Amino acid sequence: MLTDRQRDVLGFIQREQRERGVTPSTREIQQHFKLASQTSVMQYIAALERKGFLDRQARKARSLVTAMQKVRITDIPIYGQIPAGMSVLTEQTVEGHVSLDTASVNASKNGRTFALRVRGDSMIDAHILDGDVVILEDRKEVRSGDIVAALIDGETTLKRYVLERGRPYLKAENPLFPNLVPAQELLIQGVMVSLVRKHLPATPRRRI
Amino acid sequence: MLTDRQRDVLGFIQREQRERGVTPSTREIQQHFKLASQTSVMQYIAALERKGFLDRQARKARSLVTAMQKVRITDIPIYGQIPAGMSVLTEQTVEGHVSLDTASVNASKNGRTFALRVRGDSMIDAHILDGDVVILEDRKEVRSGDIVAALIDGETTLKRYVLERGRPYLKAENPLFPNLVPAQELLIQGVMVSLVRKHLPATPRRRI
DNA sequence: AGCAATTATGTTCAAATGAACATAATAAGA
DNA sequence: TCTTATTATGTTCATTTGAACATAATTGCT
């Protein structure tokens, strides 16, 4: 797909962006590769753009070459609680952010992505611990077996969504916690796509 | 710490960087806030920089204002295997990258941070699954109870480091796997600080 | 040999951009 | 009231930077 030289140039751009936070100017690229002419760089950029490896804010003179880096980072807000529908989500309720490259998040393009901090051990058999940050997606289709954030009694809880004989219920992944059969309606707020754990150092944990 | 206006400007810069991938030029900031003079922006930038909210590539004309956003992102290389000491780590063996904000990583400033993709279920009782990306730190002090990547027979494995009566051994967090008592030397490559899981959608998993 | 894509050079231009300087209104505090 | 920080305006300059044009060497393919 790419020639060696083109790959080198792309690599340099990505590295610079990662390390300096800004993409290099065409002339900086020129200097790095010890090219006598800046036009060479223009040609590389054109090729890389044509092949879809670069995305530019064309014409605008600034840091014009922004690497459509394979590691595109999504900034995911962590909510403490989700009061009602996703529509009510404002910046106010944000507890923090997780920034993660899209490759690590299992998210599709459709839904909005957000995160919740897990409270309690009700999902411990699904290997989700108290304190874990679960990344969810506000998605339409929920399949049986998905781990979801659902609204129960005005509280958001994380459970496994199970369809049994056409009827959905919420399964806790811990024998000590009851399953929840929705009385009327079941409001699914998001489907789990990823998880981020901040590991506590040297704290021996036991299974409960 | 910041005035309302300064906070607005900082917010705009951060938002632009997130959404467009590039920080705005001073004149773009000027236009957004409908300021008649670009100098106003220069003053805001100076103030924000003085107070430590901005980090610039001064003089260099480009996308000069790069937000030292509170969510500083570390780019962590994922290694397939770690052949020997950390010193041998080259770009070649890199399998990919995880990009994560430093707040989510439990890393200190001392050590180098890297990641490994977990193979197998030997740590399942510590809630670390096959396929998880474990983020580790090349650190000096290892404490009993830490989960570590260690070199055993030329292979890197993830185990819990336990000190018992002054003698260290490596404990698998799965009764089906044996503990490892080092014959001679124990080479610890890193201590686990975080974990990133890409959750597979709707794949009912069983405990093994 | 002929053709196309890639790689490379040299030159020139216009636009984008950070920087500097003088000046002034407003608000807060001593 | 005096002082200081913040906010704001207007102007000018030097650099940075992307873009365009003509030209040519190299490589691979037909």
Side-chain angles (χ1 to χ4, degrees), chain B residues 95-166:
Chain B
E95 185 186 301
H97 285 268
V98 217
S99 299
L100 199 55
D101 57 293
T102 36
S104 297
V105 182
N106 228 357
S108 56
K109 295 228 174 66
N110 321 344
R112 219 178 340 169
T113 309
F114 64 102
L116 286 177
R117 189 169 298 278
V118 175
R119 304 235 147 271
D121 288 320
S122 73
M123 293 304 283
I124 200 159
D125 283 347
H127 306 287
I128 301 170
L129 307 185
D130 183 64
D132 283 359
V133 172
V134 171
I135 298 169
L136 305 123
E137 203 186 27
D138 179 23
R139 197 197 285 160
K140 292 295 166 289
E141 0 80 58
V142 183
R143 281 188 289 173
S144 182
D146 279 343
I147 291 175
V148 300
L151 192 66
I152 304 273
D153 298 330
E155 278 219 343
T156 305
T157 37
L158 199 69
K159 292 284 179 299
R160 190 182 296 278
Y161 175 91
V162 183
L163 252 183
E164 213 169 56
R165 280 178 259 109

Side-chain angles (χ1 to χ4, degrees), chain A residues 26-27 38-39 56 59 61-62 64:
Chain A
T26 53
R27 270 155 181 105
Q38 168 239 9
T39 311
R56 303 198 302 158
R59 194 72 59 162
R62 239 160 326 137
L64 329 103

Side-chain angles (χ1 to χ4, degrees), chain A residues 71-77 97-108 113 135, chain B residues 18 73 99-101:
Chain A
V71 281
R72 170 144 253 143
I73 284 151
T74 35
D75 203 56
I76 304 162
H97 285 267
V98 218
S99 299
L100 200 55
D101 57 294
T102 37
S104 298
V105 181
N106 228 356
S108 56
T113 308
I135 297 169
Chain B
R18 240 188 280 150
I73 284 151
S99 299
L100 199 55
D101 57 293

Side-chain angles (χ1 to χ4, degrees), chain A residues 86-124:
Chain A
M86 285 300 295
S87 48
V88 205
L89 292 182
T90 54
E91 285 287 332
Q92 299 179 334
T93 56
V94 169
E95 186 187 301
H97 285 267
V98 218
S99 299
L100 200 55
D101 57 294
T102 37
S104 298
V105 181
N106 228 356
S108 56
K109 295 228 173 66
N110 320 342
R112 217 176 342 167
T113 308
F114 64 102
L116 287 176
R117 188 170 299 278
V118 175
R119 303 235 147 271
D121 288 318
S122 72
M123 294 302 283
I124 200 159

Side-chain angles (χ1 to χ4, degrees), chain A residues 43-61:
Chain A
Q43 286 167 117
Y44 284 120
I45 290 176
L48 288 169
E49 198 178 8
R50 177 164 37 83
K51 296 184 179 180
F53 287 83
L54 276 188
D55 218 5
R56 303 198 302 158
Q57 229 100 330
R59 194 72 59 162
K60 298 236 162 185

Side-chain angles (χ1 to χ4, degrees), chain B residues 26-27 38 56 59 64:
Chain B
T26 52
R27 272 158 182 101
Q38 169 239 8
R56 301 197 303 158
R59 194 74 57 164
L64 328 101

